Amino acid sequence: MKKRDRVAGMSVAEIKAEIARLTPTEKAELALELFAGVDEGRPLSAEIEHAWGEEIARRAEAVRNGTAGGVDADAVFAELDSRFPS
């Protein structure tokens, strides 16, 4: 798949900067739209869209206020390596 350097006259960096200015709700809506586009255009049901929107907003808020739990990437990869040795 060819990577596009510009979309609608904007660079990817410019698009990211614009996204950073969105509210959490707007970001959730955008995420849903992008996800739906990846899913070969099959729309999600309104109920699923609503649930994902709420989940995305909840997670974003948890990150913002410092209550989100996280796991160090090295720990995640070590766990995966131990569970699924190559």
Side-chain angles (χ1 to χ4, degrees):
M1 175 178 275
K2 183 181 174 188
K3 181 181 174 185
R4 293 172 56 169
D5 293 328
R6 297 190 75 77
V7 177
M10 297 174 69
S11 69
V12 173
E14 290 168 327
I15 293 169
K16 288 179 179 179
E18 288 298 317
I19 291 169
R21 290 190 261 280
L22 297 175
T23 66
T25 300
E26 291 169 329
K27 288 177 183 176
E29 290 173 8
L30 177 59
L32 286 171
E33 289 295 321
L34 291 171
F35 180 76
V38 170
D39 196 25
E40 299 179 21
R42 291 183 294 246
L44 298 174
S45 73
E47 182 180 332
I48 291 172
E49 283 189 33
H50 180 73
W52 270 115
E54 287 182 346
E55 180 65 14
I56 292 166
R58 183 190 65 75
R59 290 182 186 193
E61 181 60 27
V63 169
R64 263 192 310 285
N65 68 27
T67 61
V71 178
D72 180 70
D74 290 336
V76 170
F77 289 119
E79 171 69 17
L80 288 171
D81 286 342
S82 70
R83 293 174 86 184
F84 306 101
S86 48

PDB file of all heavy atoms in Angstrom, residues 7-36:
ATOM      1  N   VAL A   7      -2.927  14.797   2.386  1.00  0.00           N
ATOM      2  CA  VAL A   7      -4.348  14.471   2.269  1.00  0.00           C
ATOM      3  C   VAL A   7      -5.099  15.792   2.290  1.00  0.00           C
ATOM      4  O   VAL A   7      -4.921  16.594   3.213  1.00  0.00           O
ATOM      5  CB  VAL A   7      -4.819  13.561   3.428  1.00  0.00           C
ATOM      6  CG1 VAL A   7      -6.307  13.297   3.326  1.00  0.00           C
ATOM      7  CG2 VAL A   7      -4.039  12.260   3.435  1.00  0.00           C
ATOM      8  N   ALA A   8      -5.921  16.019   1.293  1.00  0.00           N
ATOM      9  CA  ALA A   8      -6.700  17.259   1.207  1.00  0.00           C
ATOM     10  C   ALA A   8      -5.815  18.492   1.384  1.00  0.00           C
ATOM     11  O   ALA A   8      -6.183  19.442   2.053  1.00  0.00           O
ATOM     12  CB  ALA A   8      -7.833  17.246   2.225  1.00  0.00           C
ATOM     13  N   GLY A   9      -4.610  18.436   0.797  1.00  0.00           N
ATOM     14  CA  GLY A   9      -3.707  19.575   0.861  1.00  0.00           C
ATOM     15  C   GLY A   9      -2.956  19.722   2.163  1.00  0.00           C
ATOM     16  O   GLY A   9      -2.222  20.683   2.354  1.00  0.00           O
ATOM     17  N   MET A  10      -3.127  18.777   3.092  1.00  0.00           N
ATOM     18  CA  MET A  10      -2.461  18.860   4.390  1.00  0.00           C
ATOM     19  C   MET A  10      -1.467  17.706   4.524  1.00  0.00           C
ATOM     20  O   MET A  10      -1.742  16.591   4.085  1.00  0.00           O
ATOM     21  CB  MET A  10      -3.487  18.766   5.528  1.00  0.00           C
ATOM     22  CG  MET A  10      -4.487  19.901   5.566  1.00  0.00           C
ATOM     23  SD  MET A  10      -5.770  19.629   6.822  1.00  0.00           S
ATOM     24  CE  MET A  10      -4.836  19.817   8.318  1.00  0.00           C
ATOM     25  N   SER A  11      -0.335  17.985   5.155  1.00  0.00           N
ATOM     26  CA  SER A  11       0.618  16.922   5.440  1.00  0.00           C
ATOM     27  C   SER A  11       0.092  16.095   6.616  1.00  0.00           C
ATOM     28  O   SER A  11      -0.793  16.544   7.359  1.00  0.00           O
ATOM     29  CB  SER A  11       1.987  17.504   5.798  1.00  0.00           C
ATOM     30  OG  SER A  11       1.928  18.150   7.057  1.00  0.00           O
ATOM     31  N   VAL A  12       0.653  14.927   6.789  1.00  0.00           N
ATOM     32  CA  VAL A  12       0.258  14.084   7.919  1.00  0.00           C
ATOM     33  C   VAL A  12       0.540  14.816   9.230  1.00  0.00           C
ATOM     34  O   VAL A  12      -0.265  14.778  10.162  1.00  0.00           O
ATOM     35  CB  VAL A  12       0.981  12.718   7.865  1.00  0.00           C
ATOM     36  CG1 VAL A  12       0.718  11.910   9.121  1.00  0.00           C
ATOM     37  CG2 VAL A  12       0.554  11.934   6.627  1.00  0.00           C
ATOM     38  N   ALA A  13       1.655  15.523   9.301  1.00  0.00           N
ATOM     39  CA  ALA A  13       1.976  16.281  10.521  1.00  0.00           C
ATOM     40  C   ALA A  13       0.918  17.355  10.786  1.00  0.00           C
ATOM     41  O   ALA A  13       0.530  17.576  11.942  1.00  0.00           O
ATOM     42  CB  ALA A  13       3.355  16.914  10.398  1.00  0.00           C
ATOM     43  N   GLU A  14       0.457  18.019   9.733  1.00  0.00           N
ATOM     44  CA  GLU A  14      -0.575  19.040   9.899  1.00  0.00           C
ATOM     45  C   GLU A  14      -1.890  18.422  10.366  1.00  0.00           C
ATOM     46  O   GLU A  14      -2.585  18.983  11.218  1.00  0.00           O
ATOM     47  CB  GLU A  14      -0.791  19.805   8.589  1.00  0.00           C
ATOM     48  CG  GLU A  14       0.365  20.698   8.203  1.00  0.00           C
ATOM     49  CD  GLU A  14       0.276  21.235   6.787  1.00  0.00           C
ATOM     50  OE1 GLU A  14      -0.250  20.528   5.888  1.00  0.00           O
ATOM     51  OE2 GLU A  14       0.737  22.355   6.567  1.00  0.00           O
ATOM     52  N   ILE A  15      -2.210  17.261   9.830  1.00  0.00           N
ATOM     53  CA  ILE A  15      -3.437  16.565  10.244  1.00  0.00           C
ATOM     54  C   ILE A  15      -3.330  16.181  11.722  1.00  0.00           C
ATOM     55  O   ILE A  15      -4.268  16.375  12.493  1.00  0.00           O
ATOM     56  CB  ILE A  15      -3.696  15.329   9.365  1.00  0.00           C
ATOM     57  CG1 ILE A  15      -4.034  15.773   7.936  1.00  0.00           C
ATOM     58  CG2 ILE A  15      -4.810  14.466   9.951  1.00  0.00           C
ATOM     59  CD1 ILE A  15      -4.056  14.648   6.923  1.00  0.00           C
ATOM     60  N   LYS A  16      -2.184  15.656  12.122  1.00  0.00           N
ATOM     61  CA  LYS A  16      -1.990  15.297  13.537  1.00  0.00           C
ATOM     62  C   LYS A  16      -2.126  16.519  14.439  1.00  0.00           C
ATOM     63  O   LYS A  16      -2.704  16.435  15.530  1.00  0.00           O
ATOM     64  CB  LYS A  16      -0.623  14.636  13.734  1.00  0.00           C
ATOM     65  CG  LYS A  16      -0.538  13.243  13.178  1.00  0.00           C
ATOM     66  CD  LYS A  16       0.857  12.677  13.392  1.00  0.00           C
ATOM     67  CE  LYS A  16       0.974  11.273  12.866  1.00  0.00           C
ATOM     68  NZ  LYS A  16       2.337  10.717  13.048  1.00  0.00           N
ATOM     69  N   ALA A  17      -1.577  17.647  13.990  1.00  0.00           N
ATOM     70  CA  ALA A  17      -1.681  18.875  14.791  1.00  0.00           C
ATOM     71  C   ALA A  17      -3.136  19.298  14.939  1.00  0.00           C
ATOM     72  O   ALA A  17      -3.556  19.740  16.011  1.00  0.00           O
ATOM     73  CB  ALA A  17      -0.859  19.987  14.144  1.00  0.00           C
ATOM     74  N   GLU A  18      -3.911  19.163  13.869  1.00  0.00           N
ATOM     75  CA  GLU A  18      -5.332  19.508  13.932  1.00  0.00           C
ATOM     76  C   GLU A  18      -6.069  18.551  14.861  1.00  0.00           C
ATOM     77  O   GLU A  18      -6.925  18.967  15.652  1.00  0.00           O
ATOM     78  CB  GLU A  18      -5.960  19.482  12.531  1.00  0.00           C
ATOM     79  CG  GLU A  18      -5.534  20.630  11.649  1.00  0.00           C
ATOM     80  CD  GLU A  18      -5.944  21.984  12.203  1.00  0.00           C
ATOM     81  OE1 GLU A  18      -7.080  22.126  12.685  1.00  0.00           O
ATOM     82  OE2 GLU A  18      -5.106  22.898  12.169  1.00  0.00           O
ATOM     83  N   ILE A  19      -5.745  17.283  14.797  1.00  0.00           N
ATOM     84  CA  ILE A  19      -6.387  16.290  15.665  1.00  0.00           C
ATOM     85  C   ILE A  19      -6.100  16.604  17.126  1.00  0.00           C
ATOM     86  O   ILE A  19      -6.971  16.475  17.985  1.00  0.00           O
ATOM     87  CB  ILE A  19      -5.928  14.861  15.293  1.00  0.00           C
ATOM     88  CG1 ILE A  19      -6.500  14.469  13.934  1.00  0.00           C
ATOM     89  CG2 ILE A  19      -6.329  13.853  16.371  1.00  0.00           C
ATOM     90  CD1 ILE A  19      -5.913  13.199  13.351  1.00  0.00           C
ATOM     91  N   ALA A  20      -4.886  17.052  17.424  1.00  0.00           N
ATOM     92  CA  ALA A  20      -4.515  17.382  18.806  1.00  0.00           C
ATOM     93  C   ALA A  20      -5.389  18.487  19.371  1.00  0.00           C
ATOM     94  O   ALA A  20      -5.578  18.577  20.583  1.00  0.00           O
ATOM     95  CB  ALA A  20      -3.042  17.786  18.873  1.00  0.00           C
ATOM     96  N   ARG A  21      -5.960  19.319  18.514  1.00  0.00           N
ATOM     97  CA  ARG A  21      -6.806  20.427  18.975  1.00  0.00           C
ATOM     98  C   ARG A  21      -8.264  20.001  19.190  1.00  0.00           C
ATOM     99  O   ARG A  21      -9.055  20.790  19.697  1.00  0.00           O
ATOM    100  CB  ARG A  21      -6.754  21.570  17.959  1.00  0.00           C
ATOM    101  CG  ARG A  21      -5.426  22.288  17.923  1.00  0.00           C
ATOM    102  CD  ARG A  21      -5.495  23.556  17.076  1.00  0.00           C
ATOM    103  NE  ARG A  21      -4.996  23.413  15.732  1.00  0.00           N
ATOM    104  CZ  ARG A  21      -3.724  23.435  15.374  1.00  0.00           C
ATOM    105  NH1 ARG A  21      -2.797  23.548  16.280  1.00  0.00           N
ATOM    106  NH2 ARG A  21      -3.369  23.328  14.123  1.00  0.00           N
ATOM    107  N   LEU A  22      -8.615  18.793  18.822  1.00  0.00           N
ATOM    108  CA  LEU A  22      -9.996  18.329  18.978  1.00  0.00           C
ATOM    109  C   LEU A  22     -10.304  18.035  20.438  1.00  0.00           C
ATOM    110  O   LEU A  22      -9.417  17.713  21.226  1.00  0.00           O
ATOM    111  CB  LEU A  22     -10.228  17.060  18.154  1.00  0.00           C
ATOM    112  CG  LEU A  22     -10.086  17.175  16.642  1.00  0.00           C
ATOM    113  CD1 LEU A  22     -10.235  15.806  16.004  1.00  0.00           C
ATOM    114  CD2 LEU A  22     -11.080  18.150  16.055  1.00  0.00           C
ATOM    115  N   THR A  23     -11.586  18.091  20.769  1.00  0.00           N
ATOM    116  CA  THR A  23     -12.033  17.691  22.102  1.00  0.00           C
ATOM    117  C   THR A  23     -12.002  16.168  22.180  1.00  0.00           C
ATOM    118  O   THR A  23     -11.964  15.488  21.147  1.00  0.00           O
ATOM    119  CB  THR A  23     -13.471  18.165  22.369  1.00  0.00           C
ATOM    120  OG1 THR A  23     -14.351  17.461  21.475  1.00  0.00           O
ATOM    121  CG2 THR A  23     -13.622  19.662  22.191  1.00  0.00           C
ATOM    122  N   PRO A  24     -12.024  15.589  23.376  1.00  0.00           N
ATOM    123  CA  PRO A  24     -12.063  14.141  23.487  1.00  0.00           C
ATOM    124  C   PRO A  24     -13.243  13.522  22.726  1.00  0.00           C
ATOM    125  O   PRO A  24     -13.091  12.482  22.080  1.00  0.00           O
ATOM    126  CB  PRO A  24     -12.189  13.894  24.991  1.00  0.00           C
ATOM    127  CG  PRO A  24     -11.545  15.088  25.606  1.00  0.00           C
ATOM    128  CD  PRO A  24     -11.899  16.228  24.691  1.00  0.00           C
ATOM    129  N   THR A  25     -14.383  14.160  22.764  1.00  0.00           N
ATOM    130  CA  THR A  25     -15.551  13.638  22.057  1.00  0.00           C
ATOM    131  C   THR A  25     -15.323  13.663  20.549  1.00  0.00           C
ATOM    132  O   THR A  25     -15.636  12.696  19.851  1.00  0.00           O
ATOM    133  CB  THR A  25     -16.809  14.457  22.410  1.00  0.00           C
ATOM    134  OG1 THR A  25     -17.019  14.360  23.817  1.00  0.00           O
ATOM    135  CG2 THR A  25     -18.033  13.950  21.683  1.00  0.00           C
ATOM    136  N   GLU A  26     -14.750  14.755  20.052  1.00  0.00           N
ATOM    137  CA  GLU A  26     -14.468  14.849  18.619  1.00  0.00           C
ATOM    138  C   GLU A  26     -13.435  13.807  18.196  1.00  0.00           C
ATOM    139  O   GLU A  26     -13.559  13.199  17.137  1.00  0.00           O
ATOM    140  CB  GLU A  26     -13.975  16.252  18.267  1.00  0.00           C
ATOM    141  CG  GLU A  26     -15.039  17.319  18.385  1.00  0.00           C
ATOM    142  CD  GLU A  26     -14.481  18.727  18.305  1.00  0.00           C
ATOM    143  OE1 GLU A  26     -13.332  18.974  18.726  1.00  0.00           O
ATOM    144  OE2 GLU A  26     -15.223  19.594  17.808  1.00  0.00           O
ATOM    145  N   LYS A  27     -12.431  13.587  19.050  1.00  0.00           N
ATOM    146  CA  LYS A  27     -11.428  12.561  18.753  1.00  0.00           C
ATOM    147  C   LYS A  27     -12.066  11.182  18.709  1.00  0.00           C
ATOM    148  O   LYS A  27     -11.740  10.354  17.854  1.00  0.00           O
ATOM    149  CB  LYS A  27     -10.298  12.594  19.784  1.00  0.00           C
ATOM    150  CG  LYS A  27      -9.400  13.792  19.629  1.00  0.00           C
ATOM    151  CD  LYS A  27      -8.346  13.816  20.724  1.00  0.00           C
ATOM    152  CE  LYS A  27      -7.490  15.057  20.612  1.00  0.00           C
ATOM    153  NZ  LYS A  27      -6.521  15.159  21.707  1.00  0.00           N
ATOM    154  N   ALA A  28     -12.990  10.920  19.633  1.00  0.00           N
ATOM    155  CA  ALA A  28     -13.689   9.632  19.648  1.00  0.00           C
ATOM    156  C   ALA A  28     -14.503   9.451  18.375  1.00  0.00           C
ATOM    157  O   ALA A  28     -14.497   8.369  17.775  1.00  0.00           O
ATOM    158  CB  ALA A  28     -14.586   9.535  20.876  1.00  0.00           C
ATOM    159  N   GLU A  29     -15.188  10.505  17.961  1.00  0.00           N
ATOM    160  CA  GLU A  29     -15.975  10.435  16.724  1.00  0.00           C
ATOM    161  C   GLU A  29     -15.067  10.173  15.529  1.00  0.00           C
ATOM    162  O   GLU A  29     -15.386   9.354  14.656  1.00  0.00           O
ATOM    163  CB  GLU A  29     -16.751  11.731  16.517  1.00  0.00           C
ATOM    164  CG  GLU A  29     -17.881  11.922  17.504  1.00  0.00           C
ATOM    165  CD  GLU A  29     -18.537  13.297  17.394  1.00  0.00           C
ATOM    166  OE1 GLU A  29     -18.224  14.061  16.450  1.00  0.00           O
ATOM    167  OE2 GLU A  29     -19.361  13.615  18.260  1.00  0.00           O
ATOM    168  N   LEU A  30     -13.936  10.850  15.478  1.00  0.00           N
ATOM    169  CA  LEU A  30     -12.989  10.656  14.386  1.00  0.00           C
ATOM    170  C   LEU A  30     -12.448   9.227  14.397  1.00  0.00           C
ATOM    171  O   LEU A  30     -12.351   8.579  13.353  1.00  0.00           O
ATOM    172  CB  LEU A  30     -11.848  11.665  14.488  1.00  0.00           C
ATOM    173  CG  LEU A  30     -10.747  11.542  13.445  1.00  0.00           C
ATOM    174  CD1 LEU A  30     -11.308  11.695  12.029  1.00  0.00           C
ATOM    175  CD2 LEU A  30      -9.656  12.558  13.709  1.00  0.00           C
ATOM    176  N   ALA A  31     -12.108   8.733  15.582  1.00  0.00           N
ATOM    177  CA  ALA A  31     -11.594   7.372  15.695  1.00  0.00           C
ATOM    178  C   ALA A  31     -12.607   6.362  15.168  1.00  0.00           C
ATOM    179  O   ALA A  31     -12.240   5.413  14.461  1.00  0.00           O
ATOM    180  CB  ALA A  31     -11.234   7.056  17.149  1.00  0.00           C
ATOM    181  N   LEU A  32     -13.859   6.576  15.488  1.00  0.00           N
ATOM    182  CA  LEU A  32     -14.900   5.675  14.991  1.00  0.00           C
ATOM    183  C   LEU A  32     -14.996   5.720  13.472  1.00  0.00           C
ATOM    184  O   LEU A  32     -15.135   4.689  12.811  1.00  0.00           O
ATOM    185  CB  LEU A  32     -16.256   6.028  15.608  1.00  0.00           C
ATOM    186  CG  LEU A  32     -16.426   5.637  17.062  1.00  0.00           C
ATOM    187  CD1 LEU A  32     -17.719   6.233  17.611  1.00  0.00           C
ATOM    188  CD2 LEU A  32     -16.435   4.131  17.204  1.00  0.00           C
ATOM    189  N   GLU A  33     -14.928   6.916  12.917  1.00  0.00           N
ATOM    190  CA  GLU A  33     -14.980   7.057  11.462  1.00  0.00           C
ATOM    191  C   GLU A  33     -13.792   6.364  10.803  1.00  0.00           C
ATOM    192  O   GLU A  33     -13.941   5.675   9.793  1.00  0.00           O
ATOM    193  CB  GLU A  33     -15.010   8.536  11.055  1.00  0.00           C
ATOM    194  CG  GLU A  33     -16.300   9.233  11.376  1.00  0.00           C
ATOM    195  CD  GLU A  33     -17.480   8.685  10.582  1.00  0.00           C
ATOM    196  OE1 GLU A  33     -17.321   8.370   9.383  1.00  0.00           O
ATOM    197  OE2 GLU A  33     -18.562   8.570  11.169  1.00  0.00           O
ATOM    198  N   LEU A  34     -12.608   6.555  11.360  1.00  0.00           N
ATOM    199  CA  LEU A  34     -11.423   5.927  10.806  1.00  0.00           C
ATOM    200  C   LEU A  34     -11.511   4.412  10.916  1.00  0.00           C
ATOM    201  O   LEU A  34     -11.180   3.681   9.982  1.00  0.00           O
ATOM    202  CB  LEU A  34     -10.166   6.440  11.508  1.00  0.00           C
ATOM    203  CG  LEU A  34      -9.814   7.899  11.233  1.00  0.00           C
ATOM    204  CD1 LEU A  34      -8.688   8.347  12.152  1.00  0.00           C
ATOM    205  CD2 LEU A  34      -9.446   8.116   9.778  1.00  0.00           C
ATOM    206  N   PHE A  35     -11.957   3.931  12.068  1.00  0.00           N
ATOM    207  CA  PHE A  35     -12.100   2.496  12.263  1.00  0.00           C
ATOM    208  C   PHE A  35     -13.096   1.907  11.270  1.00  0.00           C
ATOM    209  O   PHE A  35     -12.858   0.866  10.683  1.00  0.00           O
ATOM    210  CB  PHE A  35     -12.538   2.198  13.699  1.00  0.00           C
ATOM    211  CG  PHE A  35     -12.711   0.726  13.954  1.00  0.00           C
ATOM    212  CD1 PHE A  35     -11.604  -0.090  14.115  1.00  0.00           C
ATOM    213  CD2 PHE A  35     -13.967   0.162  14.014  1.00  0.00           C
ATOM    214  CE1 PHE A  35     -11.752  -1.452  14.330  1.00  0.00           C
ATOM    215  CE2 PHE A  35     -14.136  -1.198  14.233  1.00  0.00           C
ATOM    216  CZ  PHE A  35     -13.010  -2.000  14.390  1.00  0.00           C
ATOM    217  N   ALA A  36     -14.194   2.581  11.064  1.00  0.00           N
ATOM    218  CA  ALA A  36     -15.203   2.097  10.117  1.00  0.00           C
ATOM    219  C   ALA A  36     -14.617   2.028   8.711  1.00  0.00           C
ATOM    220  O   ALA A  36     -14.919   1.116   7.949  1.00  0.00           O
ATOM    221  CB  ALA A  36     -16.436   2.997  10.148  1.00  0.00           C
TER     222      ALA A  36
END
